[in-house]
């Protein structure tokens, strides 16, 4: 399964038409997560030291990276570990 993903990646990278919807989706997702984190700050759920935009970018990267690692390992464990790590980092700012 991972081999199919690797073969498709160069096709996506080479095509602006294929990259554009992905870029738009990731930008929307990152922006939405940043909004949620900023709202959490306003409610006192996160410290002022948390940067919502930077943290949102990290969360998206962790989820996507965890997905890739899980696919390559044919196991959900790498994804689960990545998510637990991201939650621990967020908890440090609670």
């Amino acid at each position: 399964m991972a081999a199919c993903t690797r073969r498709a990646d160069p096709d996506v990278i080479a095509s602006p038409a294929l990259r554009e919807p992905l870029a738009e989706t990731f930008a929307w997702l990152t922006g939405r997560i940043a909004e949620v984190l900023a709202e959490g700050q306003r409610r006192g759920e996160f410290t002022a030291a948390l940067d919502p935009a930077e943290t949102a970018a990290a969360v998206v990267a962790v989820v996507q990276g965890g997905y890739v690692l899980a696919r390559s390992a044919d196991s959900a464990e790498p994804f689960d570990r990545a998510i637990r790590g991201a939650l621990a980092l967020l908890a440090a700012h609670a």
Side-chain angles (χ1 to χ4, degrees):
M1 185 95 52
C4 291
T5 302
R6 283 192 300 268
R7 283 196 300 270
D9 286 347
D11 295 335
V12 172
I13 291 168
S15 170
L18 294 175
R19 280 193 325 265
E20 184 177 340
L22 289 173
E24 288 174 3
T25 299
F26 284 127
W28 174 84
L29 180 61
T30 303
R32 184 65 187 117
I33 292 170
E35 290 170 0
V36 169
L37 293 171
E39 181 179 331
Q41 274 183 316
R42 287 190 296 276
R43 297 170 118 185
E45 297 168 3
F46 294 111
T47 67
L50 180 100
D51 182 313
E54 296 292 324
T55 304
V59 168
V60 171
V62 165
V63 170
Q64 289 303 304
Y67 173 75
V68 169
L69 293 171
R71 295 271 310 218
S72 67
D74 196 24
S75 167
E77 180 56 23
F79 182 82
D80 294 341
R81 288 184 71 201
I83 297 304
R84 286 192 303 269
L87 291 173
L89 291 171
L90 288 171
H93 283 281

